[in-house]
Amino acid sequence: QVQLVESGGGLVQAGGSLRLACAAAGRTFSSYNMAWFRQAPGKEREFVAAIDWSGRTTYYTDSVKDRFIISRDNAKNTLYLQMNSLKPEDTANYYCAAGSIATEDARYPYWGQGTQVTVSS
């Protein structure tokens, strides 16, 4: 089992950058595939990016390719999402998830509480 806590959200102007972090408690973080999802008001939760346990393989939804970078530091039990060239449509509550590398949120058994990202135009 793993407990997840996100941080790094906030208010940023369009074109700006933010780096989200997801700290994991538990000795087995390095064995989990991880992902970021987001949910905007009135919308379903959507897949953003995923990374395998080693950090060597990553996946992105098309809308964030070339702007967002998912990474992990297994020595620090931390997952990251570097978000560049932010757009107002990136505004959402961002969640980290553990236990799969799928795009479907139902495939992930472990979730953080989320961190809010707001991009102003």
Side-chain angles (χ1 to χ4, degrees):
Q1 193 169 1
V2 62
Q3 292 79 44
L4 305 171
V5 178
E6 301 93 336
S7 62
L11 174 64
V12 63
Q13 288 188 331
S17 298
L18 281 176
R19 188 175 82 154
L20 305 184
C22 173
R27 293 176 294 175
T28 58
F29 172 78
S30 60
S31 68
Y32 286 100
N33 297 323
M34 301 289 296
W36 288 96
F37 285 76
R38 65 187 180 186
Q39 187 168 22
K43 295 187 177 181
E44 294 186 351
R45 188 160 53 188
E46 67 169 349
F47 171 81
V48 175
I51 188 168
D52 77 338
W53 65 272
S54 71
R56 288 192 290 265
T57 303
T58 58
Y59 303 92
Y60 298 91
T61 192
D62 287 345
S63 63
V64 308
K65 281 180 182 176
D66 301 323
R67 298 191 298 123
F68 291 9
I69 301 171
I70 188 172
S71 64
R72 66 191 297 161
D73 186 336
N74 286 342
K76 294 183 178 180
N77 281 7
T78 304
L79 174 74
Y80 300 100
L81 185 68
Q82 177 66 44
M83 305 186 295
N84 302 318
S85 302
L86 282 162
K87 304 175 181 179
E89 52 263 44
D90 294 319
T91 295
N93 205 6
Y94 282 71
Y95 300 88
C96 67
S100 181
I101 202 161
T103 59
E104 299 85 9
D105 59 0
R107 300 281 295 274
Y108 292 81
Y110 306 112
W111 291 85
Q113 83 290 347
T115 186
Q116 178 67 37
V117 172
T118 303
V119 184
S120 62
S121 57

